[in-house]
Amino acid sequence: MKHRYLVTGGAGFIGSNFVHFIDQTEPESLVLVFDKLTYAGNLDSLKGMGPQHQVVVGDICDEQLVAQALAQFKPDRLVHFAAESHVDRSIDGPKEFVKTNVLGTFTLLHQAKIYFEANKGDFRFLQVSTDEVYGSLGETGYFTEETPYQPNSPYSASKAGSDHLVRAWWHTYHFPVITTNCSNNYGPFQFPEKLIPVVILSALSGKPLPIYGDGQNIRDWLFVLDHCKGIHRALERGELGECYNIGGNNELTNLQVVHRICEILDLRRPKQKGSYKDQITFVKDRPGHDRRYAIDASKIKAKLGWQPEESFESGFLKTVDWYLEHEDWVKNILSGEYRLTRQGLGA
Ligand SMILES: NC(=O)c1ccc[n+]([C@@H]2O[C@H](COP(=O)([O-])OP(=O)(O)OC[C@H]3O[C@@H](n4cnc5c(N)ncnc54)[C@H](O)[C@@H]3O)[C@@H](O)[C@H]2O)c1
């Protein structure tokens, strides 16, 4: 047995990609997914994983269930993806974000510390965080691990709160944690409320592609599998108590992202007349919309030897093709409670 991974939020976008990555690369390891199955959790995304892995449906705020999962599964790796993750939803309803992201992370830390103190061994807790905790950049500069936290949305503020708890558990209790702060991910299994899947699916169904503001907000885009590999590298080789920024060196404006997806769709599924770009419209900006995020990932490259393998060109092609080839996955989601909470598109 190599490792026993307890993966919170393992039925979500990045979590499910991580579970498949472990399933494929570490056949001797075991995974326990711990997921509340909110609107963003989808067991379909775990189809095909080996039968040796298990799923517990539960809330990370549920102390008893968390304690039970730890005691029974006995993980040596806890990878914490579970979160409310959509900025627009956090603007409309911040309470759930504070509950899951702050209180839920506290509950996990508290119970995992009790578990660790009873069992010791080579246990590691990896906090999956975001570059959004650093706030917004001007036209130049990059977020490093030393950049002060300046979260601007209820989502990023709640993630920042959870990161601070994780840091405190290391400094106060020497509880073995590592934090990764990653830029915007894209790839298979992303819930169709985030920019890239929404653009693909709205374009194909002839709907408008409403872009927030002037479409010039810049994000650094990373293919989800590269993120999973970065998390794995940090878990295996990272120093306890350290933070590692993970980024794709792929700064693009929202408009460039939408244009590129339309160009790929024009090739893969040409319209009878015109381009998918004709469906683009501009709508009122999201409140407090951060202008630019850009990651300096030189620490993880220098210290742990990680760097992204996928280019923006190859990653976007793979992603569009995945959505075109997985109509059933998409249909099952769309027939559920999917709805856009705001009118515009942004990341
Ligand atoms: N998506 C990105 O671009 C990105 C970038 C950097 C960091 N992150 C971070 O990575 C993590 C995963 O992001 P994602 O995009 O996969 O999110 P997601 O919304 O797709 O998935 C979140 C998962 O967490 C589960 N969950 C939510 N509340 C829960 C609770 N109280 N108890 C148990 N499970 C719960 C959901 O059911 C879902 O399966 C988050 O912590 C996010 O902040 C995401």
Side-chain angles (χ1 to χ4, degrees):
M1 179 70 51
K2 195 167 180 192
H3 291 298
R4 301 176 71 88
Y5 293 93
L6 197 162
V7 180
T8 71
F13 164 45
I14 308 173
S16 60
N17 276 283
F18 184 79
V19 171
H20 289 298
F21 171 70
I22 295 298
D23 190 40
Q24 284 155 20
T25 57
E26 284 182 15
E28 64 280 37
S29 290
L30 275 186
V31 175
L32 175 70
V33 169
F34 189 102
D35 198 299
K36 187 179 170 183
L37 298 184
T38 67
Y39 77 94
N42 183 355
L43 291 178
D44 280 356
S45 303
L46 291 170
K47 272 187 187 159
M49 76 174 183
Q52 71 277 25
H53 307 304
Q54 304 164 56
V55 178
V56 168
V57 178
D59 190 331
I60 54 166
C61 299
D62 182 338
E63 266 193 86
Q64 253 191 329
L65 202 60
V66 169
Q68 199 181 325
L70 286 162
Q72 288 179 359
F73 183 65
K74 300 199 185 314
D76 61 338
R77 301 285 182 263
L78 195 164
V79 194
H80 178 30
F81 293 97
E84 288 291 336
S85 70
H86 190 42
V87 176
D88 284 343
R89 285 180 188 261
S90 82
I91 295 168
D92 290 337
K95 192 170 175 184
E96 212 50 42
F97 284 71
V98 175
K99 211 168 136 227
T100 284
N101 299 359
V102 182
L103 278 179
T105 302
F106 160 73
T107 306
L108 274 183
L109 285 167
H110 183 60
Q111 288 303 327
K113 174 176 164 284
I114 294 171
Y115 164 78
F116 170 66
E117 283 171 353
N119 294 276
K120 296 292 178 195
D122 175 31
F123 178 80
R124 290 174 166 221
F125 180 111
L126 192 133
Q127 161 81 346
V128 181
S129 192
T130 163
D131 58 357
E132 302 195 26
V133 295
Y134 296 124
S136 185
L137 288 166
E139 280 175 16
T140 56
Y142 294 90
F143 297 134
T144 73
E145 290 79 0
E146 273 71 51
T147 303
Y149 273 27
Q150 287 187 323
N152 290 323
S153 72
Y155 163 64
S156 53
S158 63
K159 287 296 292 186
S162 67
D163 291 359
H164 289 322
L165 290 173
V166 170
R167 176 188 159 89
W169 257 240
W170 165 251
H171 281 273
T172 308
Y173 306 115
H174 285 281
F175 177 68
V177 303
I178 292 170
T179 297
T180 54
N181 293 83
C182 187
S183 59
N184 276 50
N185 284 215
Y186 65 93
F189 300 117
Q190 189 166 29
F191 188 80
E193 67 178 351
K194 304 274 171 78
L195 179 66
I196 290 180
V198 172
V199 171
I200 298 170
L201 301 177
S202 300
L204 289 172
S205 53
K207 291 184 188 157
L209 304 175
I211 297 182
Y212 276 138
D214 58 6
Q216 295 306 309
N217 301 68
I218 294 174
R219 301 291 181 262
D220 170 25
W221 292 92
L222 180 71
F223 190 62
V224 63
L225 187 56
D226 277 330
H227 186 190
C228 293
K229 289 176 181 172
I231 288 170
H232 188 257
R233 186 63 61 91
L235 265 175
E236 288 312 301
R237 299 195 200 159
E239 207 175 309
L240 294 179
E242 287 291 312
C243 302
Y244 298 92
N245 281 354
I246 302 181
N249 297 323
N250 265 329
E251 278 189 57
L252 296 168
T253 66
N254 286 341
L255 192 58
Q256 283 172 319
V257 169
V258 178
H259 275 172
R260 184 63 197 132
I261 291 167
C262 290
E263 285 159 10
I264 297 172
L265 287 173
D266 284 339
L267 285 174
R268 295 289 202 251
R269 293 266 171 97
K271 286 172 47 144
Q272 287 194 329
K273 210 172 135 217
S275 160
Y276 289 100
K277 287 183 191 166
D278 303 338
Q279 290 166 228
I280 293 174
T281 59
F282 292 90
V283 297
K284 192 170 174 284
D285 209 353
R286 165 197 278 165
H289 203 174
D290 286 339
R291 195 65 178 169
R292 174 171 169 259
Y293 303 143
I295 281 269
D296 174 348
S298 51
K299 177 174 170 183
I300 190 167
K301 186 177 176 194
K303 303 250 181 208
L304 309 184
W306 174 92
Q307 59 181 344
E309 291 168 22
E310 210 69 59
S311 72
F312 141 71
E313 283 297 328
S314 61
F316 273 33
L317 266 176
K318 278 187 185 170
T319 304
V320 172
D321 284 344
W322 187 89
Y323 279 92
L324 293 176
E325 286 158 13
H326 289 80
E327 282 178 6
D328 283 354
W329 184 88
V330 171
K331 251 188 226 150
N332 285 349
I333 282 201
L334 296 188
S335 63
E337 54 185 328
Y338 169 71
R339 65 195 146 84
L340 277 174
T341 52
R342 287 190 175 270
Q343 289 176 330
L345 294 174

